[in-house]
Amino acid sequence: MMNYRPTERMNVVSYPIRDIVIEAKREEAKGTNMIWLNIGDPPQYGFEAFGHATEKVKTVLDNPHLKGYAFSQGDSELRENIAKIEKCTPEDVFVTVGLTEGIDFFFHSFIGFGEKILLPNPAYPLYISKTKMFEGNLVFYKHDENGQIDIRDLEKKIPGAKTIVIINPNNPLGSVYTEDNLVEVVELCAKHDVPIFYDGSYDKIIFDGELVDFRKIADEKIQYVYGSSLSKNFGYPGARIGWVTFHGDKWTEIKDAFLRLCNQRLSVNWEYQKAAATAIIDPVYSEYIEEMKKKLLLRRDALAKATKELQISYPFPKGAFYAFMKIKTNAWKYDVEFVRAAIKKGVVFVPGSGFGTNENEMYFRTTFLPEPEILKEAFERMKGVL
Ligand SMILES: Cc1ncc(COP(=O)(O)O)c(C=O)c1O
């Protein structure tokens, strides 16, 4: 008899940020009005994508040449512009379907069975899923109480690691690592010859001061890969344009493998790559991002106000648009139980266990993208639950 069951591999494939939606939709179908705080999708909450990018899409739609497949590695103009920003050559740049595909291809080409992968705890869930799917040995490194990378903990865990993933600003913590912290991480990586996969998806969304330039800290000292996309920094996740750049002299064979993976999927949408090519070097962008941050700051403050009286604690977010909250009551044994109770009240969060914390540690993640009144209403509904 033919077996129509999914492969063993599928047992480790999950995406908690969306998995929870099924339960929430069921509750919504019963007539409960839902506030969705589970996903970091700026246009869903009234943030407009960077206008010069959307305008460019409209104009290139008339170009018949761009209806074809683009070069698999990415449009040459886009790669040249990324290379200028990332201080590498266009040959080091790979354009992907969001950073999501870049992460997938990196794991595919670089992570072998049983190899140790160091992930932040908490971590963006895709890294957890990919590590398991490619049968890596998942080891979490810790953060200290200020949301910085715990160097002593990392020092113990780094020997023998194949790679370490750094997400800065961090999703879900909202922490931004200091220069001193990153210098210490780079020194450890140099000592143990461990490359870094640096996820800069939110590297323009920092509320106090500027993000330290990781390239300056890491160049010439370690091998690393830098990834980013249009999704968050440009408020344009629907464009599905991301990229990774390879830094250092040891990546030749990995880049070759990466290119073969790009070749297999033919190309990324050409029209949107053209939009990205102009957007990422557009001088007006600085105005756009300042405006976005101004709005986000109001929302972050609204979140702080709305959660003041509740039985939760969390590091005050310094970047990105999430807060990772710890529940202080003993009303539940597992984080999912709390998330289900919140759904019954019409609010959708993601359980902390989706990001790698233990399910009985009682964490959950919220986004603060929605308007202040919606955040107020959402946490108002949590009174009696938290
Ligand atoms: C830390 C981080 N990395 C990568 C991604 C993937 O984003 P995209 O594929 O839209 O670039 C996300 C999306 O939420 C993210 O939060």
Side-chain angles (χ1 to χ4, degrees):
M1 278 270 279
M2 181 58 75
N3 153 15
Y4 284 96
R5 283 194 301 275
T7 59
E8 284 282 313
R9 195 161 58 239
M10 285 307 295
N11 293 338
V12 296
V13 176
S14 72
Y15 192 71
I17 295 166
R18 285 188 185 244
D19 294 346
I20 199 72
V21 169
I22 300 164
E23 286 187 43
K25 284 274 174 209
R26 229 177 273 142
E27 188 60 35
E28 195 175 40
K30 289 187 208 158
T32 310
N33 160 275
M34 282 292 167
I35 299 178
W36 300 89
L37 299 182
N38 60 313
I39 195 158
D41 186 5
Q44 240 186 68
Y45 304 101
F47 285 85
E48 281 180 23
F50 179 43
H52 284 197
T54 52
E55 284 306 315
K56 179 79 180 181
V57 172
K58 285 184 207 155
T59 59
V60 296
L61 283 176
D62 289 333
N63 183 342
H65 178 60
L66 301 178
K67 303 289 176 211
Y69 293 122
F71 177 45
S72 307
Q73 190 170 345
D75 173 71
S76 56
E77 184 193 2
L78 175 56
R79 284 192 300 119
E80 269 165 33
N81 290 350
I82 293 171
K84 270 183 225 149
I85 294 165
E86 298 294 338
K87 311 226 170 14
C88 58
T89 71
E91 287 67 46
D92 300 319
V93 180
F94 293 79
V95 181
T96 52
V97 181
L99 181 54
T100 298
E101 191 183 54
I103 295 166
D104 183 46
F105 285 2
F106 179 74
F107 274 72
H108 221 319
S109 54
F110 194 55
I111 306 307
F113 176 79
E115 288 182 326
K116 191 200 280 189
I117 311 303
L118 288 170
L119 296 186
N121 190 338
Y124 176 59
L126 185 65
Y127 290 103
I128 300 173
S129 182
K130 290 293 160 195
T131 304
K132 290 180 180 168
M133 216 176 157
F134 292 106
E135 302 183 89
N137 167 18
L138 195 171
V139 176
F140 283 117
Y141 63 87
K142 292 185 194 157
H143 288 92
D144 64 20
E145 60 284 0
N146 299 317
Q148 297 293 303
I149 295 172
D150 182 334
I151 299 293
R152 301 289 81 79
D153 179 62
L154 187 63
E155 199 168 19
K156 278 190 247 144
K157 294 171 177 169
I158 203 168
K162 186 75 187 281
T163 198
I164 161 171
V165 172
I166 297 201
I167 307 169
N168 192 30
N170 181 277
N171 172 11
L173 275 183
S175 53
V176 177
Y177 305 134
T178 62
E179 181 161 357
D180 286 353
N181 197 228
L182 288 172
V183 166
E184 286 195 87
V185 173
V186 167
E187 278 170 3
L188 274 182
C189 288
K191 184 172 161 201
H192 293 272
D193 191 18
V194 175
I196 290 179
F197 185 92
Y198 192 100
D199 182 327
S201 291
Y202 301 86
D203 63 6
K204 304 278 193 276
I205 308 171
I206 294 162
F207 302 119
D208 311 306
E210 297 252 310
L211 183 78
V212 291
D213 188 349
F214 181 72
R215 297 108 173 156
K216 280 197 190 138
I217 295 173
D219 273 342
E220 312 293 332
K221 295 195 185 70
I222 56 162
Q223 308 288 313
Y224 68 97
V225 179
Y226 200 105
S228 196
S229 77
L230 286 194
S231 300
K232 317 293 175 168
N233 289 334
F234 293 80
Y236 204 176
R240 306 308 301 130
I241 298 291
W243 54 87
V244 298
T245 52
F246 287 84
H247 302 258
D249 56 3
K250 296 192 183 157
W251 294 112
T252 311
E253 287 179 60
I254 301 304
K255 282 190 284 186
D256 182 56
F258 210 95
L259 180 59
R260 275 182 278 141
L261 289 164
C262 291
N263 285 343
Q264 276 196 340
R265 64 86 165 99
L266 300 176
S267 96
V268 177
N269 180 294
W270 209 345
E271 291 144 345
Y272 286 85
Q273 289 194 67
K274 282 295 181 198
T278 48
I280 63 168
I281 54 160
D282 194 318
V284 174
Y285 174 72
S286 57
E287 286 169 30
Y288 169 82
I289 194 69
E290 285 312 313
E291 200 49 43
M292 185 194 219
K293 287 199 286 188
K294 224 192 281 166
K295 260 167 109 174
L296 280 171
L297 273 173
L298 288 176
R299 292 166 194 214
R300 182 186 67 166
D301 293 345
L303 178 80
K305 212 161 148 206
T307 55
K308 217 156 79 196
E309 316 264 280
L310 301 174
Q311 292 295 305
I312 47 178
S313 62
Y314 59 96
F316 200 49
K318 297 196 162 77
F321 32 67
Y322 310 100
F324 199 59
M325 302 183 158
K326 184 166 173 65
I327 299 168
K328 295 197 284 189
T329 73
N330 295 321
W332 302 275
K333 216 164 151 208
Y334 301 115
D335 54 11
V336 183
E337 290 175 6
F338 159 72
V339 168
R340 291 206 174 108
I343 286 175
K344 289 259 174 258
K345 296 271 183 184
V347 187
V348 189
F349 298 114
V350 188
S353 47
F355 300 87
T357 53
N358 285 332
E359 52 189 2
N360 57 6
E361 283 180 292
M362 298 307 293
Y363 286 93
F364 68 96
R365 188 196 75 171
T366 184
T367 178
F368 55 87
L369 279 169
E371 286 169 349
E373 310 78 73
I374 298 176
L375 290 168
K376 184 166 176 252
E377 165 67 22
F379 285 93
E380 201 60 43
R381 291 183 192 180
M382 288 303 100
K383 285 189 179 148
V385 182
L386 284 170

